[in-house]
Amino acid sequence: MNTIISKKTSRAIALSIATLALSGAVLAASNPRGIPSATSSAKAPFADKRPITTQASIDLGAYDPHGDFGNDADSKIEHLFLPWEDVDLSSLVIADEYAVQRGRSLLITVEPWSWDVDWRVTSDELLAGILAGRYDANMAAVCSEAAKLKSPVTIRWAQEMDETDNQFSWAHWAPDSYRTAYQRMVTECRKHIQTATYMWSPKGNPELVDFYPGDEFVDVVGLSVFGLQDYDRATFGKERTFTEALEPGYRLGG
């Protein structure tokens, strides 16, 4: 999965190559996903497939739990995923040290649920709890920990809210409900970290603009772009270029 990061002010685009891992049962507090381990390989086995970058290129980043981009000087963003329940936030320090050593920023996707499916509440219960303030402490905990980090931080909360494939609990909310929830979470986060930027990140479906929470709450806009050559050939009769895959959602965002 490719996540496109577009700064509204300059229309500059940064690219973060991210793999969305499927959530499984968790018996103890989860660690954020995307932190390379000490034994991770520092050499990528598929280096020939990486984009060719120059000083004029968009910024490249990665969700890279195996450390394949560990020695890649062109990788500028370290992407992490974490739930806001049942998570060991202290492990963010490990990711921060890894990013600082490589001169990278951190993109932290905060998913408002537990990764243990047995511990999740319903979509309606989650929304009601957020709007009633019962999850303010969860967001405060994440943002307070992020405030301790040395790397520049971007917070990406409740991504792909415009999707309808039942993957995420928050993708079932009405646009006005999502906007209110997003605004509340950014407001809460700002109480604990003053230096973060905030990414609103729809999947790119036609109704995405209905979920936009407003310029006051969004610094960066993200779009998800998926590439599967077999699907492209079957659906479009050819393999699409990155530009062709990005363009529909990008134009919807104005």
Side-chain angles (χ1 to χ4, degrees), residues 12-191:
I13 300 175
L15 171 64
S16 172
I17 299 176
T19 301
L20 184 59
L22 295 177
S23 299
V26 181
L27 299 180
S30 302
N31 286 322
R33 289 177 177 151
I35 304 175
S37 68
T39 58
S40 295
S41 171
K43 183 178 180 181
F46 304 111
D48 60 314
K49 294 186 178 181
R50 300 183 190 186
I52 298 174
T53 60
T54 68
Q55 290 184 343
S57 298
I58 58 178
D59 286 342
L60 173 70
Y63 168 77
D64 187 31
H66 303 297
D68 292 335
F69 288 78
N71 290 335
D72 192 331
D74 292 326
S75 185
K76 304 299 183 183
I77 305 166
E78 204 68 33
H79 191 180
L80 311 175
F81 288 81
L82 59 85
W84 70 2
E85 291 185 300
D86 318 311
V87 60
D88 180 8
L89 292 173
S90 65
S91 58
L92 284 175
V93 174
I94 301 172
D96 185 44
E97 292 175 350
Y98 184 87
V100 167
Q101 291 170 2
R102 291 158 178 80
R104 299 174 183 173
S105 62
L106 288 175
L107 171 59
I108 303 176
T109 291
V110 182
E111 298 184 338
W113 60 2
S114 169
W115 280 345
D116 186 333
V117 296
D118 294 329
W119 294 355
R120 293 176 186 168
V121 298
T122 68
S123 176
D124 289 342
E125 289 171 335
L126 177 61
L127 176 61
I130 290 173
L131 298 184
R134 292 195 292 273
Y135 290 96
D136 286 358
N138 298 67
M139 196 66 183
V142 172
C143 298
S144 295
E145 201 66 30
K148 302 175 185 177
L149 307 180
K150 299 176 183 177
S151 306
V153 171
T154 296
I155 302 293
R156 178 178 179 247
W157 185 80
Q159 75 280 12
E160 298 183 8
M161 75 303 298
D162 56 329
E163 184 50 89
T164 56
D165 63 0
N166 296 317
Q167 181 174 0
F168 299 123
S169 298
W170 51 91
H172 297 272
W173 300 341
D176 59 337
S177 296
Y178 178 86
R179 293 195 305 267
T180 302
Y182 180 99
Q183 291 165 357
R184 184 181 185 101
M185 291 302 96
V186 170
T187 299
E188 180 62 33
C189 196
R190 284 173 171 164
K191 297 176 184 177

